[in-house]
Every structure is written in structure tokens, then in C-alpha cells.
Amino acid sequence: MKLSEIDATLREIQVAPVKTLGQNFLHDQNLARWIVDKADLTAEDYIVEIGPGLGALTQFLLDSGARVLAIEKDRRLADFLRKRFTTDRFEILHADALDFDLRQLFSQLRVKLLGNLPYYISSQLLLKFTKYPSPISLWLLMLQKEMARRISATPGTSDYGALTLVVQLHYRVEYLRTVPASVFLPQPDVDSAFVRLSPRAHDELPDYDAETFSRVVRRGFSQRRKQLRNLLREEIPAWNEAASAIGFDPRARAEELTLEQWIALSNLAQSADSSAPVSIGLESFPVVDEEDCVLGEAPRAEVHGNNLRHRAVHILVFNSLGELFLQKRSRWKDRHPRLWDSSAAGHVDAGEDYDAAASREFQEELGVTAELTRVTKLRATEKTGQEFIWLYRAQHDGPFELARSEIEYGEFFPVNVISEWIKARPDDFAPGFLECWKASTQDDVEALVPSA
Ligand code: SAM
């Protein structure tokens, strides 16, 4: 929209821009087109636009053929947009973007998030929408210049801080351009900047433990002027050795370390931590025949290496809303790392029966106990990795104490979101879970959910 059109539209719909809602409307058409170009859109894309306002960007987003979900807090603008864009590829949600339930985006194939954000909530929004793991594959955001500089900062600069590292741990951040206040009506008090965030490839950075990383970084940046050695004494007692191994000056301050050095530091802090990744491969499993009768025992590596039939349990945990808890397998797992899986799952050990294994796995992985009910048994096939699987269900509202060496993350999801997610992106899931899901939902998804 041109300046004169914005002016006329605001008068027509009797809206005076509300400062507290960050209502500064973009009137530079070339810039709007340039922004949308950076999203590389096709008809396959599903765009979530935060704060569409009068539709300055929405118009170009829809021109690309993509579907657009726009979230606008001001009812008057939401009503205006509903009338302005009548295509069925456009959906307007009159809501506060901070209340938006991100989980529903997992059911879309290619999600991109775009917005000329209201500055008063940009840091909260940024942290909410860049929470890891995320179904979003690209972020294009207009931010207050200062915020854009902070998240794209490089070491040794005053903008470089804990926020930089928390965001850059999962995303590559590009500061694309500074945007002067003059392209908005009314003009904001500060300049803006446009940034693009793309998720990092899984093997781009060394492995780390997320909780330890975040703790060490926050502690390190808690007093920027102090040398790190004084702030991290408890975490890293052998400081000089650590500095020389990682390659930084032992008198360094937090802003001098690169992301990779912070990861190395947090890994040293973690090695003293009891929840470091466990080494696996030493256990023995019962080997069974095609009728699930025990033939003998074999070490884990042999069972998996030779595709021998063996036994496993999967447990699906529902909360009182009927949502299912999914775990994201740890990066350290030897099989299917980082894929989404049943709430808890594991092998039946030698000398153990299915029920005992289910109770043990449930307790070990989620740190709680609950009554487990048998749902169904799956035959050993290629798809189950030659595992006979007994599937159980349980009811629990959490919170859980996740076994960090096994599970990277876990969350409850509505079952209809999971159904759609599996249809859109089956490769996000461990094959054993997909088989359990298929077997248990053949008739009716709701039948799986225990009655409250
Ligand atoms: N995208 C439009 C443009 O570029 O002209 C408008 C951008 S304006 C900076 C921010 C928009 O976000 C406004 O339309 C405002 O009403 C909306 N907004 C403010 N707070 C919001 C919130 N919490 N959730 C969703 N939208 C919000």
C-alpha cells in the first residue's frame, strides 16, 4: 500500500494507529516486495504472518501462491483484512500472537514465519517462535535495529550476549538490511532492521547438552565485565587447562568466546555431570523366533547388526486433555537419533518380561510411575526393526523428569495434530512409533485416549 492509500484506508475504517500495539504501517511497496522475495515462496509454502496490519506484506505473500495464516491482535484490522483478501488461501486469526499454539504448525509441510513485528513484544515473540524444536523452516523478521544487531552479533562486540548465543545455537542469523523509520506511517522513534533466520543443519555444530549450555552461558554473561574464570569457577575447576584446550585467553570475558568455544566449555562442565550420555551396547537382549518364543540371548550390537528378532515395549502417555506426549530422541541415540517417538520406549532385557520392561522404561525415561494398560501387540517385521512390540498406554499430566541421555525434548500434542503431522512429514518419526500409531489408531484415534 502506498502512503496515500494507507492514509485513506485508516480514515475509511476509522482507525487511528495505536502506539501501544506498535502500529507503524509500511508504505514502501518496493521494500515490501523485496522482503517477500527473501522468503523464496512457492505454492507449497504455509506462511504465518505476525501482525499483518493493513496487509502491506500479505498482499505480496498471497501473490506467490502460498497459503497465509495471519495473526492480528487488533480486531478492526483483522475485520478489514478478512474483507480485503477473500481467497481461501488466506486465513486471519484475531488473536495475540503470544498466545498462538505453535504445536499446530507441525501438521504443515513447509512453514515460514514472517512479520514486521510490533516492537513492544519482539523479544518475547522471538523467543517463543524460535523455541527449539520448531516446525518452522525460515523466519523473516523486521525487528528494532538494536534487537536485530543483538541476535546477529559476532564475538567481541557489545551486542554479543546470551540472547545471541541462545538464538544462534539453533539458527544462522543474517542481518539483511537496516530499514529507516521513514518507510512507516506513523514513523517509529527508532530505525528497524530486517533479519533472516535459518535452522542449522544437525551436524553443523558439535554435540552439546542444551540445559548445561544454557546454564553456563547465562552464568558467563551474568556480569559482563568480570573475567569468566571468576564466574565459572564452580562449573570448570581446571580453568587454565580448559582455556588452553579450547584455545582462548584464560583472562577472557564472556563476549570474547565464539559459539563453538561456548559449546566446548559447556561440554567440559557437563563431563562432571552425572547425566552425561551413557555408553550403550553392552546389554543383552532375548532373541526370539517368529512366534516370540525365546531362543537365547545376544548382545545388543549383534541383535541389531544381524537383524535378529527381539522384544520391545512402547508406552503412549496421555494427559487429561487427551493429548499425547511425544519424545524427541536424543542426538546420542545409536538408532533414529533426533526423530520423534512414543512417550517412552525400550527393549525388553534378558530375563525380563514385557510388563516389567514397560514399567522400568517408563520410570527410567520419564522419571514417574503410572498404571500401564496393554493396548495391542505388534509382530516383528522389517518395519518394526524385527521387534515384537507390546504397546501400552498410561495417563499422566507430567511434569516429567526426562532422561537427558535418551530424550532431547518432549511435549504433549493434540492427537489430531499428530495425525496430520504424520501425513505431512512421516520422516520426522521413528519407524517403531509409526507402526504403533498405525496399529493403535486403525479404527479410531479417540479409542486410544484413556477416558478421564
Ligand atoms: N505488517 C504491517 C505492515 O508492515 O504494515 C503492520 C506492522 S505493525 C509494525 C505491527 C502489527 O502488529 C500491527 O498491525 C498491530 O496491530 C499488530 N500487533 C500488535 N501486537 C500484536 C500481538 N500481540 N499479536 C498479533 N499482532 C499484534
Side-chain angles (χ1 to χ4, degrees):
M1 273 185 169
K2 288 189 242 148
L3 190 55
S4 54
E5 288 171 325
I6 293 182
D7 217 17
T9 308
L10 287 175
R11 251 181 285 120
E12 192 186 316
I13 61 173
Q14 297 181 343
V15 171
V18 182
K19 196 164 183 183
T20 51
L21 283 178
Q23 290 181 343
N24 305 98
F25 302 106
L26 182 65
H27 60 73
D28 184 327
Q29 301 261 75
N30 289 334
L31 181 58
R33 217 175 277 119
W34 177 88
I35 288 172
V36 172
D37 257 8
K38 296 288 163 215
D40 231 347
L41 296 179
T42 71
E44 299 291 297
D45 287 306
Y46 183 82
I47 313 296
V48 179
E49 188 189 356
I50 310 287
L54 293 169
L57 301 172
T58 325
Q59 169 193 347
F60 295 109
L61 293 171
L62 287 168
D63 287 348
S64 72
R67 286 176 300 145
V68 177
L69 168 70
I71 309 172
E72 172 56 62
K73 188 170 179 180
D74 188 326
R75 177 184 294 280
R76 300 164 306 171
L77 299 178
D79 289 343
F80 167 75
L81 290 175
R82 201 170 283 121
K83 289 188 199 123
R84 180 172 176 201
F85 302 114
T86 50
T87 161
D88 58 4
R89 288 186 290 107
F90 177 68
E91 189 186 344
I92 176 88
L93 193 62
H94 167 230
D96 187 327
L98 288 175
D99 296 333
F100 180 69
D101 184 350
L102 275 175
R103 297 176 303 172
Q104 58 190 276
L105 297 179
F106 279 98
S107 57
Q108 299 295 336
L109 187 58
R110 273 161 57 116
V111 186
K112 294 178 177 171
L113 185 107
L114 188 140
N116 174 5
L117 298 188
Y119 297 146
Y120 75 108
I121 47 163
S122 58
S123 53
Q124 276 166 286
L125 269 173
L126 189 69
L127 288 175
K128 175 185 168 89
F129 284 92
T130 56
K131 188 175 150 247
Y132 175 84
S134 170
I136 303 168
S137 62
L138 189 79
W139 289 250
L140 284 164
L141 304 172
M142 181 88 78
L143 298 169
Q144 201 168 336
K145 186 169 145 194
E146 186 189 64
M147 170 70 67
R149 288 175 58 133
R150 281 174 68 196
I151 63 169
S152 60
T154 48
T157 61
S158 58
D159 292 317
Y160 188 72
L163 179 69
T164 316
L165 290 163
V166 168
V167 174
Q168 291 190 9
L169 188 59
H170 296 296
Y171 307 100
R172 266 173 283 117
V173 184
E174 298 163 85
Y175 185 106
L176 295 182
R177 69 190 275 179
T178 302
V179 176
S182 57
V183 298
F184 298 103
L185 178 81
Q187 289 193 21
D189 301 331
V190 290
D191 281 345
S192 306
F194 198 69
V195 292
R196 174 164 55 195
L197 278 67
S198 341
R200 288 188 185 277
H202 289 315
D203 51 3
E204 203 174 320
L205 292 171
D207 285 337
Y208 58 87
D209 175 73
E211 234 171 80
T212 315
F213 177 86
S214 151
R215 188 187 67 233
V216 171
V217 164
R218 281 180 204 289
R219 226 172 247 187
F221 278 97
S222 59
Q223 296 177 63
R224 292 182 73 102
R225 293 205 186 139
K226 269 197 174 181
Q227 291 185 8
L228 278 177
R229 69 158 99 222
N230 298 321
L231 296 165
L232 297 178
R233 195 173 284 142
E234 272 173 44
E235 300 276 1
I236 319 271
W239 182 256
N240 287 344
E241 288 81 347
S244 125
I246 298 173
F248 61 83
D249 183 337
R251 292 159 303 170
R253 293 180 173 78
E255 68 193 43
E256 292 168 51
L257 268 58
T258 64
L259 175 59
E260 286 80 358
Q261 287 173 326
W262 275 109
I263 292 175
L265 207 53
S266 101
N267 284 346
L268 282 183
Q270 199 209 354
S271 54
D273 187 335
S274 58
S275 53
V278 288
S279 62
I280 44 177
L282 302 176
E283 319 100 293
S284 268
F285 301 147
V287 175
V288 296
D289 66 12
E290 64 271 22
E291 294 308 321
D292 195 18
C293 294
V294 178
L295 298 170
E297 285 176 18
R300 177 192 186 99
E302 195 182 320
V303 168
H304 285 157
N306 296 338
N307 262 335
L308 305 178
R309 286 189 199 90
H310 56 294
R311 294 172 164 175
V313 290
H314 278 239
I315 304 133
L316 300 183
V317 182
F318 295 87
N319 63 14
S320 37
L321 298 173
E323 297 172 333
L324 171 61
F325 186 81
L326 290 183
Q327 62 157 281
K328 189 165 162 57
R329 292 165 68 84
S330 146
R331 68 196 64 218
W332 289 301
K333 287 292 227 183
D334 56 345
R335 311 189 88 202
H336 316 304
R338 297 190 179 91
L339 294 187
W340 292 88
D341 204 345
S342 303
S343 320
H347 291 104
V348 177
D349 283 343
E352 196 179 39
D353 63 22
Y354 282 103
D355 288 353
S359 300
R360 176 182 53 73
E361 286 291 346
F362 189 65
Q363 213 280 328
E364 280 177 10
E365 294 204 340
L366 304 184
V368 294
T369 54
E371 193 183 324
L372 305 184
T373 311
R374 285 183 168 200
V375 176
T376 189
K377 188 176 180 185
L378 283 74
R379 293 194 65 77
T381 63
E382 221 171 285
K383 286 184 175 165
T384 67
Q386 296 303 343
E387 285 172 349
F388 280 93
I389 300 174
W390 252 111
L391 176 65
Y392 296 77
R393 72 176 180 216
Q395 182 148 11
H396 203 291
D397 282 317
F400 303 118
E401 204 168 301
L402 303 183
R404 279 159 55 200
S405 56
E406 307 265 334
I407 304 175
E408 178 161 313
Y409 178 77
E411 187 166 341
F412 281 103
F413 290 89
V415 284
N416 62 329
V417 167
I418 298 174
S419 286
E420 294 302 312
W421 183 3
I422 290 174
K423 273 188 226 150
R425 299 191 285 195
D427 293 346
D428 285 1
F429 297 89
F433 167 71
L434 289 180
E435 289 308 298
C436 289
W437 180 259
K438 219 189 303 167
S440 58
T441 56
Q442 250 160 7
D443 303 325
D444 177 10
V445 170
E446 297 302 323
L448 189 68
V449 183
S451 48

